[in-house]
Amino acid sequence: LAGARADVNPDEVASVLWKYFTELGSNAKDTVDQLQQSELTKQLNTLLESNLRSVNAYAEDLQQRLVPFATELQARLAQDSQRLKEQIHRELQELRARLAPYADEVHQQIGSNIRQLQAKMSPYAEELRERVDRGAGELRRALEPYAAELRDVLQDNAEGAQAALRTQAERLQAQIDGGVEALKERLAPVADELQAQVAQSVAELRRGLGPYAQDAQDGLERQLQSLTAQTERAAQELRARLASSAEELRAQLSPLAQELQRVADGEELRQRLSPLAQRLEDSVAQTLEAFRQRAAPVGESFRQQLVQRLEEMRTKLDSGAAGVEDHLELLEREVRDKVAAFLSTAQPPEN
């Protein structure tokens, strides 16, 4: 069972459960027997089997414990959901009333926070763009020589060419894999830095609005929790988009190495190798440019998304109207917290 704790990702389990809860709709009172036949159980099985192949007994035990846990959690959420919605609406109305005498100051405080957030995040968005450009440029320079080397292979005899091509195919695939991993490592810290700046901005907003809501701290805290949940999700989406773009790059480049391997194992070597060298040359440039165009603006998009969230919060404080998003995001955060707590106690001790 060693290492099992690291293999089960609470966020992945929580995502499966949350997707089930949101799709369940009015069927909130499913029995355990029904649940065991549901899509939820299939998804949990797939997730646990893929992550815990080496500890099947533990995966089966965890599956059996997750089903009643999910049933109990669903019943609890169904019962508390409307109550939470009403509580958020009531707190926001009270908060609006408390802040009414300070409306101008609150507007200025949030506006100032928005401007500060934009100023703080702009350098990080630009840094992300520069890292994308540098990473794509380095990988392009690393891959460009392969086309010329393939043309050189054409000058060799057939037997020597085939052996050289097999080596080239292995080297090309290794270069692609290494380049993609290096890109991911280069970009990931920027996402963490952006999230840290957002957390700092929310903390500053909490301090700035605190004096105006001394008698309505619960309502203010609820709104800030909702804002935090939104920004955390945005940061997770940012990381996912960057990782997905890098993996897409790998998927687009790897077939070139695979085709090179097939050429090395096949006949009519010279006829097939020359067009492949040209395709490799063209494809590397086009694919990396497409990656750069796709990934470079992600930081700026993230910044704009967070500014929009702050603007929406300012509007809610003006109108006193709670959005469905507040309710759902706080429920989802509760699901994720409870799943993480459950897994921390459900998993066996590491050896």
Side-chain angles (χ1 to χ4, degrees), residues 13 59 68 83 135 140 181 193 216 246 263 272 279 313 322-323:
V13 176
R83 187 182 308 160
R140 179 174 178 172
E181 292 303 320
E193 291 163 2
V263 169
R272 297 177 63 188
R279 280 187 49 220
M313 179 178 174

Side-chain angles (χ1 to χ4, degrees), residues 12-271:
E12 291 180 345
V13 176
S15 294
V16 172
L17 293 180
W18 180 249
K19 183 175 184 290
Y20 169 74
F21 293 152
T22 54
E23 291 180 351
L24 190 59
S26 59
N27 300 320
K29 295 184 178 180
D30 272 10
T31 63
V32 173
D33 289 341
Q34 290 171 323
L35 186 61
Q36 288 173 339
Q37 302 301 320
S38 72
E39 187 63 26
L40 169 64
T41 299
K42 296 177 185 177
Q43 292 179 19
L44 286 174
N45 275 332
T46 300
L47 177 63
L48 294 176
E49 286 172 3
S50 62
N51 286 343
L52 295 171
R53 292 185 188 280
S54 61
V55 282
N56 289 334
Y58 171 58
E60 182 178 354
D61 177 67
L62 182 58
Q63 168 66 48
Q64 292 174 352
R65 298 173 70 179
L66 266 173
V67 169
F69 165 76
T71 306
E72 180 182 351
L73 185 57
Q74 168 60 27
R76 162 80 188 286
L77 289 178
Q79 182 179 6
D80 291 352
S81 177
Q82 184 61 32
R83 187 182 308 160
L84 176 60
K85 188 184 298 183
E86 293 170 355
Q87 182 179 353
I88 291 172
H89 180 73
R90 184 175 59 254
E91 288 176 348
L92 190 52
Q93 290 284 353
E94 293 174 356
L95 181 60
R96 177 174 177 266
R98 297 289 184 186
L99 294 178
Y102 314 104
D104 290 341
E105 291 91 334
V106 170
H107 258 271
Q108 292 175 8
Q109 186 69 46
I110 298 179
S112 174
N113 190 263
I114 290 173
R115 290 189 295 274
Q116 291 174 7
L117 181 64
Q118 288 179 311
K120 288 179 180 178
M121 295 186 68
S122 289
Y124 290 101
E126 184 59 32
E127 172 67 15
L128 179 59
R129 182 182 295 276
E130 291 175 359
R131 290 193 184 198
V132 168
D133 290 345
R134 287 199 300 270
E138 289 176 4
L139 184 53
R140 179 174 178 172
R141 287 189 292 274
L143 296 180
E144 278 177 343
Y146 283 87
E149 291 175 11
L150 291 184
R151 293 189 178 96
D152 292 341
V153 168
L154 287 172
Q155 308 304 318
D156 296 339
N157 60 64
E159 182 178 352
Q162 285 184 317
L165 284 179
R166 292 190 185 97
T167 301
Q168 287 285 85
E170 294 173 358
R171 284 180 53 216
L172 179 58
Q173 186 62 62
Q175 189 72 61
I176 291 169
D177 289 338
V180 169
E181 292 303 320
L183 259 176
K184 291 164 71 173
E185 291 177 6
R186 182 193 295 271
L187 301 181
V190 182
D192 294 336
E193 291 163 2
L194 282 167
Q195 184 170 3
Q197 286 297 323
V198 172
Q200 181 181 345
S201 181
V202 173
E204 291 171 355
L205 185 59
R206 178 182 283 107
R207 288 193 295 270
L209 295 180
Y212 306 115
Q214 293 181 359
D215 297 327
Q217 285 295 323
D218 289 345
L220 176 61
E221 187 59 31
R222 183 87 66 181
Q223 288 301 307
L224 292 172
Q225 286 177 0
S226 177
L227 179 63
T228 299
Q230 293 168 1
T231 58
E232 288 175 352
R233 176 184 294 175
Q236 290 169 0
E237 291 173 354
L238 172 66
R239 290 190 191 88
R241 286 179 64 184
L242 292 172
S244 176
S245 293
E247 288 302 327
E248 187 176 344
L249 178 63
R250 190 202 306 267
Q252 292 171 336
L253 292 175
S254 291
L256 296 169
Q258 295 162 8
E259 185 173 351
L260 180 56
Q261 181 65 56
R262 288 193 295 270
V263 169
D265 295 336
E267 299 177 357
E268 299 179 349
L269 184 66
R270 293 180 181 276
Q271 292 88 334

Side-chain angles (χ1 to χ4, degrees), residues 302-318:
F302 177 68
R303 183 179 72 88
Q304 293 174 356
Q305 185 178 0
L306 297 183
V307 169
Q308 180 182 348
R309 296 296 190 186
L310 283 165
E311 292 284 7
E312 289 171 355
M313 179 178 174
R314 178 158 58 180
T315 300
K316 283 187 290 186
L317 292 179
D318 287 342

